[in-house]
Amino acid sequence: MKLIAAFLIAICFSSAGQFVSKQLELRIAKLEKIYVLFSDIKSRIEFTADCAGDIFSSLNQMHSYELLPFVGDCEGRLCNGESFDSAWKNSLLIRQNVTGLKKEDISVLVSFGSSFGTTDTAGQLSNCEIHKKLVEAKLNSARADFNLYSKPARGIGLLAGFATIILTL
Amino acid sequence: MKRFLKACGFLSKRIYSALSTLPEDFCRRVCEIRLRAGKPLSLVTFDGCMYLTATGRLTGLLNTQLFAVTRADLKESFNRLCEYSVYSHSNDIASGFITVSGGHRAGVYGTAVYSGGQITGMRDVGGINMRVAREFCGCAQSLVNEAFKSDFAGFLLCGAPSTGKTTLLRDCARIMSDSMFKKVAVVDERGEIAAVSHGEAQNNVGVNTDVLDGYIKSQGILQAVRTLSPDVIVCDELGGEKDIDAVISAVNSGVVFAAAVHATNTDDIKNKPQLYSLVKTGAFSKLIFLKSGEPCKICETVSVGGDF
């Protein structure tokens, strides 16, 4: 019985390490998608001048943004008559929509939404460009975090697991 | 009523709530909803101007407690009109109006922003004038009868603002397409005639009608001639120098024109050099004047020739 409990605790520690590592990986994947999203929005504004509803409707139909559920959520809210600012903010408030992202990443997204659609084309292109730069910085920091903490997190998890078994036995 | 409510849907939620409770027969008569910062909300009908009281009732008096439009209302309405995408409506804003789905047109004014001597944008919206679009199927039958009494030749519809020029042109396009089986091209620079939304005309302009939405009139006319081989070209508010050149080119290709201009009588046309030049192009065999104060009613028909 004691042995089984020790094994379970060891698995928990190891899984926790794996989870931390996966979260760091997920953050990178999501930030990369956000970077692509901003580029996509920028080109749509520049070449088609589609309005917010149309842009988000077509983005939502693309499978490449499945990792960013707030895109679809925002489109749904826009269809229900919510203003863009509120639809964007509210879709980012739902925790499951932004899992894996840090508060600082979400604040970049919120800032993008608050200025989206409020200026002319040149202003919007600059807005996309600025936010792409901000995401790029976050992406670099996420990659650095991954390199720095991913392996240690997994290692510490495993180590803690073994330590538990040894101590228990 | 549906059209009125749809137009109100582009205004702020507070204003929409206040207007959605108005009596149906009154809503049908409203042609303009005027929003001015810090001023009472006014509703313009063909009979005059009415205001909304703070309790949501209609009044013609200004000395009671009235429903006032706030800056927040204007900002929200402006964003709604732009579909939260100002960049998508930059040209419209620079021209001072935004056409929304349903063909309703919102005149917008505020503080102009200039760049290179031209208006490039606007800040601090000061007011919005929402013109409720109308569609009366059959209203142009008498106009068509009058215009094509002797032969199928072009006509120029002349009238003061709010005399129903666009409404008549729209119905005229439908009749020419569906009853006279003509190939019609509508050059709809401001989106008022066909009210195209996502590529589909929301007003009935006929099954044989092609709509060139958002094209500058002169360019749209030439493109229609080049690519659509129309029998008739319909366009609203002609008058620019380039428009005249485009009309001449199209007429040389054998196209008939059904167009509208702002003019109340023949003197008005003679006094406006560009309108006079337009009439002299030979594209129009008749000038049809509309009655002021009585929408879509013909007041006088003048054959072009002699002095014209």
Side-chain angles (χ1 to χ4, degrees):
Chain A
M1 194 66 184
K2 209 175 172 186
L3 193 68
I4 293 168
F7 267 114
L8 284 174
I9 294 168
I11 288 168
C12 282
F13 274 121
S14 167
S15 301
Q18 286 287 342
F19 176 75
V20 171
S21 171
K22 280 281 171 205
Q23 285 297 100
L24 290 169
E25 210 178 322
L26 182 66
R27 186 181 171 216
I28 294 174
K30 284 203 169 187
L31 284 171
E32 279 172 347
K33 279 285 168 216
I34 293 168
Y35 186 85
V36 175
L37 174 77
F38 287 172
S39 305
D40 205 343
I41 292 175
K42 186 186 168 194
S43 56
R44 280 165 199 267
I45 290 172
E46 191 170 8
F47 300 113
T48 63
D50 276 344
C51 59
D54 291 339
I55 289 179
F56 278 84
S57 166
S58 54
L59 289 176
N60 191 29
Q61 284 163 14
M62 293 168 70
H63 296 298
S64 49
Y65 295 115
E66 275 171 355
L67 205 55
L68 307 175
F70 58 84
V71 173
D73 194 32
C74 177
E75 195 245 338
R77 287 169 188 274
L78 284 173
C79 288
N80 291 334
E82 228 176 290
S83 72
F84 179 80
D85 193 24
S86 138
W88 181 257
K89 254 186 211 163
N90 289 336
S91 62
L92 291 172
L93 280 178
I94 299 171
R95 208 174 165 276
Q96 70 205 33
N97 281 355
V98 287
T99 321
L101 292 173
K102 282 188 172 180
K103 268 189 182 170
E104 61 199 65
D105 307 330
I106 298 166
S107 71
V108 173
L109 285 167
V110 171
S111 147
F112 175 79
S114 62
S115 45
F116 180 83
T118 54
T119 58
D120 63 357
T121 309
Q124 286 304 299
L125 297 181
S126 304
N127 183 45
C128 289
E129 209 46 56
I130 288 166
H131 285 88
K132 269 172 71 181
K133 288 253 159 51
L134 290 171
V135 172
E136 207 175 354
K138 300 285 172 215
L139 194 54
N140 289 337
S141 124
R143 281 180 182 140
D145 284 352
F146 181 79
N147 292 335
L148 203 63
Y149 303 119
S150 177
K151 277 185 185 170
R154 271 183 287 174
I156 289 169
L158 276 174
L159 211 65
F162 281 124
T164 314
I165 294 171
I166 291 163
L167 286 173
T168 318
L169 294 176
Chain B
M1 180 72 178
K2 246 185 178 179
R3 280 184 169 252
F4 174 79
L5 286 179
K6 194 163 182 198
C8 295
F10 290 98
L11 304 176
S12 74
K13 278 188 178 166
R14 193 175 78 97
I15 293 176
Y16 178 79
S17 310
L19 295 177
S20 58
T21 56
L22 292 177
E24 207 172 317
D25 61 328
F26 176 78
C27 293
R28 278 205 198 95
R29 289 188 289 127
V30 175
C31 49
E32 285 177 3
I33 306 163
R34 285 181 173 264
L35 280 63
R36 298 177 181 99
K39 301 271 169 30
L41 174 77
S42 61
L43 299 156
V44 182
T45 66
F46 291 113
D47 312 322
C49 194
M50 297 292 277
Y51 304 95
L52 211 59
T53 65
T55 54
R57 283 187 171 170
L58 287 165
T59 176
L61 305 170
L62 274 170
N63 55 0
T64 46
Q65 191 79 27
L66 297 171
F67 180 99
V69 176
T70 63
R71 286 189 63 186
D73 284 324
L74 282 170
K75 196 179 171 192
E76 191 185 334
S77 304
F78 179 70
N79 283 333
R80 278 175 178 269
L81 287 164
C82 294
E83 299 172 90
Y84 307 101
S85 315
V86 171
Y87 60 86
S88 187
H89 294 82
S90 303
N91 291 339
D92 295 350
I93 294 164
S95 309
F97 63 87
I98 302 165
T99 305
V100 292
S101 65
H104 310 292
R105 188 163 93 174
V108 187
Y109 63 87
T111 309
V113 177
Y114 278 86
S115 175
Q118 284 197 323
I119 295 179
T120 53
M122 196 187 59
R123 62 184 157 80
D124 302 332
V125 181
I128 293 170
N129 174 24
M130 175 63 100
R131 289 181 70 179
V132 183
R134 285 157 200 287
E135 188 182 23
F136 299 120
C137 282
C139 68
Q141 193 58 59
S142 57
L143 168 75
V144 171
N145 296 342
E146 179 71 26
F148 307 127
K149 207 188 288 178
S150 46
D151 57 346
F152 190 70
F155 67 87
L156 191 62
L157 208 52
C158 312
S162 298
T163 46
K165 294 186 293 295
T166 309
T167 309
L168 282 169
L169 274 184
R170 184 184 301 133
D171 197 45
C172 194
R174 184 188 63 81
I175 294 171
M176 287 189 291
S177 155
D178 294 356
S179 305
M180 300 170 77
F181 308 106
K182 299 288 181 190
K183 285 183 284 178
V184 182
V186 174
V187 181
D188 201 3
E189 185 175 342
R190 295 179 176 183
E192 284 184 296
I193 302 176
V196 171
S197 180
H198 300 101
E200 196 179 334
Q202 301 199 358
N203 290 330
N204 184 1
V205 284
V207 291
N208 285 319
T209 302
D210 301 304
V211 182
L212 285 90
D213 179 56
Y215 282 74
I216 292 172
K217 280 185 282 284
S218 55
Q219 290 175 4
I221 290 169
L222 294 176
Q223 178 155 338
V225 173
R226 270 199 308 268
T227 59
L228 302 170
S229 68
D231 296 319
V232 195
I233 291 180
V234 176
C235 51
D236 205 356
E237 294 176 21
L238 279 175
E241 274 175 35
K242 285 182 179 171
D243 298 349
I244 296 168
D245 292 339
V247 168
I248 292 169
S249 300
V251 168
N252 289 337
S253 309
V255 178
V256 166
F257 270 89
V261 293
H262 283 293
T264 46
N265 50 44
T266 47
D267 289 339
D268 209 5
I269 289 178
K270 282 176 190 167
N271 292 334
K272 291 176 181 168
Q274 284 183 335
L275 287 189
Y276 189 68
S277 306
L278 183 70
V279 175
K280 292 293 272 181
T281 57
F284 310 101
S285 67
K286 279 175 187 162
L287 304 178
I288 299 173
F289 290 92
L290 298 174
K291 268 186 189 172
S292 291
E294 275 186 80
C296 304
K297 288 272 159 60
I298 297 171
C299 143
E300 186 190 6
T301 304
V302 177
S303 293
V304 177
D307 209 10
F308 274 115

